[in-house]
Amino acid sequence: MTNIDALIVRELLAAEGDYVSGSQLAELVGISRVAIHAHMEKLRGQGFDFEAVRSKGYRVLKLPEQLNQTLIQALLTQAASDLAVNAFEQIDSTNSEAERQLAMGEATPFVVFARQQTAGRGRLGRAWHSAENGNLYATFAFRPQISPTRMALFTLWMGINLCQCINSLCRIDCGVKWPNDLQIDGRKVAGILTEARMETDQVRDVILGIGLNINSDRDDWPPELQQSATSLRQETGQRQDVNRVTAAIAGRIMIAYQQFLDGEHRTLLKERWAKYDTLYGQTVSLNQGDARISGTAKGIDNSGSLIIERPDGSHFQARAGEVTLEKRPV
Ligand code: BTN
């Protein structure tokens, strides 16, 4: 983290509401006290507020409520210290922006955040509703240098880590719906869109797009989403701090990515998935193009495929497709 503003904010946050002197800040970042004053003014312009008292220094009065690059950088843990952060007010799609940056040779890992997307993309060519409602639209970019066959478990592993991170942060009961949805009581709170570019025997780069509904209210959704979508705010009854949630997720994703590279997911994924699997034991239908397979969901196999037990007892292993719950007769 080389950004001076983020270093200043980090130091002030560490003081937990106490004053930090201008000379202490100046020494920390290696600039003059006058220059510190100029940085404080710049931060005020971003939505921070500070009290400045002669002979005591500065203390934080208010933090920005909207997604803020400086605050996220200041809140990032050691696990994410290598992560470059790019935050936008508005962008077409954070996945598209990450692709553009990768194509230009940008160093990885990096993450692109936006307060709003004008062309947010979902799975299967769908749109992702991306209004400016205090939600998270984020894309992490990596160059993993691994064989393409190893990518099969990537999205599932990241999904389960995202799910655990959200549950511990917000004390809620979020689960995973194969392959890439996070749900609370049957309503979708987050979706993941992974896109990878392959060379013959190696993954060239991979982007992990996460849409997480943090502060949307029921009325914010278009009518077609009001029954099927939810947000952390709706589930907890409290507005959530988008910057703290975002920084915590970034830290968790970086740890999960390293575990993935180290192969730790191979022993951990199935057991963790079973704990959060919202489909297990449910009667489901899987649509794969024109084909439709119905049966009982039985978790995932070692390759991440969804196991569906047909009425005749045979097992179908689904590598891809869209799963819906079958309505049981009343
Ligand atoms: C899905 O459930 O269909 C996946 C949705 C993924 C949406 C996120 S929002 C941030 C990133 N940018 C995009 O355009 N899409 C992903």
Side-chain angles (χ1 to χ4, degrees):
M1 185 179 57
T2 50
N3 179 306
I4 289 180
D5 292 333
L7 283 174
I8 293 173
V9 171
R10 174 171 283 202
E11 193 67 9
L12 289 166
L13 290 177
E16 296 181 342
D18 273 351
Y19 294 91
V20 182
S21 72
S23 47
Q24 192 178 329
L25 291 174
E27 199 175 349
L28 175 82
V29 293
I31 58 176
S32 70
R33 282 175 58 184
V34 175
I36 288 288
H37 180 77
H39 279 279
M40 302 310 273
E41 287 309 303
K42 188 172 145 210
L43 287 166
R44 282 195 171 96
Q46 290 180 30
F48 291 87
D49 199 12
F50 310 100
E51 186 185 20
V53 176
R54 192 181 287 273
S55 82
K56 284 188 174 172
Y58 298 93
R59 71 183 182 109
V60 176
L61 292 180
K62 185 172 166 288
L63 298 171
E65 281 176 17
Q66 287 188 312
L67 194 79
N68 179 277
Q69 177 165 335
T70 307
L71 183 51
I72 292 170
Q73 281 174 315
L75 290 169
L76 284 180
T77 56
Q78 187 61 29
S81 56
D82 288 346
L83 183 69
V85 177
N86 300 288
F88 292 82
E89 297 246 334
Q90 187 193 75
I91 197 127
D92 52 351
S93 147
T94 54
N95 271 28
S96 303
E97 175 59 21
E99 278 167 0
R100 289 190 287 267
Q101 293 194 16
L102 284 169
M104 286 187 329
E106 189 67 33
T108 55
F110 66 83
V111 59
V112 179
F113 298 118
R115 288 184 191 163
Q116 185 180 10
Q117 297 183 119
T118 53
R121 296 192 261 130
R123 260 180 93 228
L124 308 171
R126 297 189 186 124
W128 183 257
H129 181 75
S130 306
E132 184 173 6
N133 288 328
N135 294 332
L136 176 64
Y137 312 112
T139 301
F140 294 82
F142 305 104
R143 291 195 180 88
Q145 297 187 312
I146 56 171
S147 139
T149 53
R150 285 188 54 192
M151 286 307 294
L153 300 177
F154 181 80
T155 305
L156 303 187
W157 176 245
M158 291 303 184
I160 205 77
N161 277 278
L162 183 63
C163 174
Q164 289 183 313
C165 179
I166 292 169
N167 283 347
S168 70
L169 266 180
C170 301
R171 300 183 193 285
I172 50 172
D173 246 337
C174 174
V176 285
K177 174 181 175 255
W178 185 90
N180 69 330
D181 287 359
L182 265 55
Q183 288 191 337
I184 305 171
D185 282 338
R187 291 176 200 260
K188 183 160 171 169
V189 68
I192 297 177
L193 179 64
T194 302
E195 297 176 291
R197 286 193 303 170
M198 310 291 185
E199 283 164 357
T200 330
D201 52 2
Q202 193 170 292
V203 178
R204 187 190 303 176
D205 45 49
V206 55
I207 58 175
L208 175 79
I210 298 175
L212 170 64
N213 303 327
I214 299 184
N215 282 316
S216 269
D217 228 344
R218 195 167 300 275
D219 299 342
D220 296 331
W221 302 112
E224 69 276 14
L225 292 180
Q226 283 188 356
Q227 288 312 309
S228 59
T230 189
S231 70
L232 299 181
R233 177 182 179 175
Q234 267 173 242
E235 298 299 326
T236 59
Q238 282 174 341
R239 196 176 167 80
Q240 298 293 316
D241 183 332
V242 70
N243 292 302
R244 285 194 190 274
V245 172
T246 300
I249 288 172
R252 181 64 181 242
I253 292 294
M254 293 303 286
I255 291 171
Y257 178 67
Q258 191 54 52
Q259 290 175 322
F260 177 78
L261 290 184
D262 295 343
E264 285 180 43
H265 63 292
R266 291 198 192 99
T267 47
L268 297 173
L269 176 65
K270 256 174 80 172
E271 187 191 319
R272 287 199 195 169
W273 190 270
K275 265 176 91 177
Y276 298 96
D277 185 354
T278 61
L279 292 179
Y280 193 90
Q282 305 264 24
T283 309
V284 297
S285 269
L286 174 92
N287 291 320
Q288 269 188 336
D290 291 340
R292 190 179 151 100
I293 296 107
S294 295
T296 307
K298 291 286 179 184
I300 56 170
D301 66 12
N302 288 336
S303 67
S305 297
L306 176 71
I307 304 167
I308 299 177
E309 189 174 86
R310 295 193 188 93
D312 66 3
S314 65
H315 282 180
F316 180 84
Q317 266 109 339
R319 294 178 71 91
E322 175 81 345
V323 181
T324 47
L325 287 185
E326 295 232 322
K327 290 201 176 61
R328 292 172 196 272
V330 194

